[in-house]
Amino acid sequence: MATSEVVHAHAGPQGFIRKYIFSLDHKVIGIQYFFLALTAVWVGMFLSLLMRIHLIWPQVNLPIVGHIQPETYLSLLTMHGTIMVFFVLTTAPQGGFGNYFLPIQIGAPDMAFPVLNMLSFWTTFVAFVVMLAAERSPIHGAGRGIRRRSLDHQHRHLLRCLIDGRLEFHHDHA
């Protein structure tokens, strides 16, 4: 009696949202990573353009941004670098091309864990959106940029307590 081997694969997508937005197909997820990286390239280039405009015309008042203060310039620099490194240089080659081409090259029908693969993309997407939203918040996502000011007395004391392993956070002003 001959037995046939059954290959277990995920079910085919039923609608547009399941097929193209929350897809489990490695090719669709690879394309999503690619377009996220492409969007990040455009955002990074826009930030670079703002910095270059500020270097050429330091006193210009831009329509959306306004006058770029030194803190804003450092924030733009930090955001530009972070976006280009974490959302372009890692997302496009590893997420985009890795998801699209690697299973094809090794002859696999799909990735090993398609749901985890999809969740990985959406985690990256949410991180990108949160990073952009934090930049427009009142406290600024990148803060004061790469150069941070020194910690004030309260922060130094808290840091000393954490390093020493003490749990009390009050101190006497003797």
Side-chain angles (χ1 to χ4, degrees):
M1 185 166 114
T3 60
S4 63
E5 188 177 322
V6 177
V7 177
H8 296 284
H10 52 83
Q14 298 299 321
F16 178 81
I17 290 177
R18 187 68 178 156
K19 186 173 183 178
Y20 295 108
I21 307 297
F22 297 108
S23 177
L24 298 178
D25 184 19
H26 70 95
K27 291 179 183 176
V28 174
I29 295 172
I31 291 169
Q32 287 174 331
Y33 268 118
F34 178 73
F35 281 111
L36 178 65
L38 193 63
T39 303
V41 164
W42 285 105
V43 170
M45 283 179 15
F46 177 72
L47 295 175
S48 176
L49 181 66
L50 287 177
M51 291 186 297
R52 290 166 197 271
I53 288 172
H54 176 71
L55 289 175
I56 295 170
W57 299 294
Q59 301 303 324
V60 73
N61 205 0
L62 299 173
I64 297 172
V65 182
H67 180 67
I68 297 177
Q69 302 295 329
E71 296 83 20
T72 308
Y73 182 84
L74 288 175
S75 180
L76 290 173
L77 178 69
T78 304
M79 286 294 291
H80 167 77
T82 305
I83 286 171
M84 291 307 238
V85 168
F86 291 111
F87 293 103
V88 176
L89 296 177
T90 58
T91 301
Q94 294 172 355
F97 295 120
N99 271 303
Y100 194 92
F101 292 114
L102 190 65
I104 296 171
Q105 288 178 338
I106 63 173
D110 205 345
M111 298 293 273
F113 302 104
V115 174
L116 189 62
N117 194 17
M118 175 197 61
L119 291 176
S120 174
F121 166 75
W122 284 107
T123 303
T124 307
F125 177 78
V126 168
F128 183 65
V129 170
V130 166
M131 178 182 267
L132 292 179
E135 180 59 31
R136 297 305 303 166
S137 72
I139 58 172
H140 292 289
R144 287 167 253 167
I146 295 172
R147 296 175 42 202
R148 293 281 182 176
R149 308 261 192 268
S150 64
L151 297 172
D152 64 353
H153 181 71
Q154 292 291 334
H155 289 114
R156 271 191 244 122
H157 177 71
L158 176 63
L159 187 61
R160 213 173 316 134
C161 288
L162 290 172
I163 290 173
D164 294 342
R166 293 181 281 161
L167 294 177
E168 71 276 357
F169 295 111
H170 62 279
H171 63 282
D172 298 319
H173 295 287

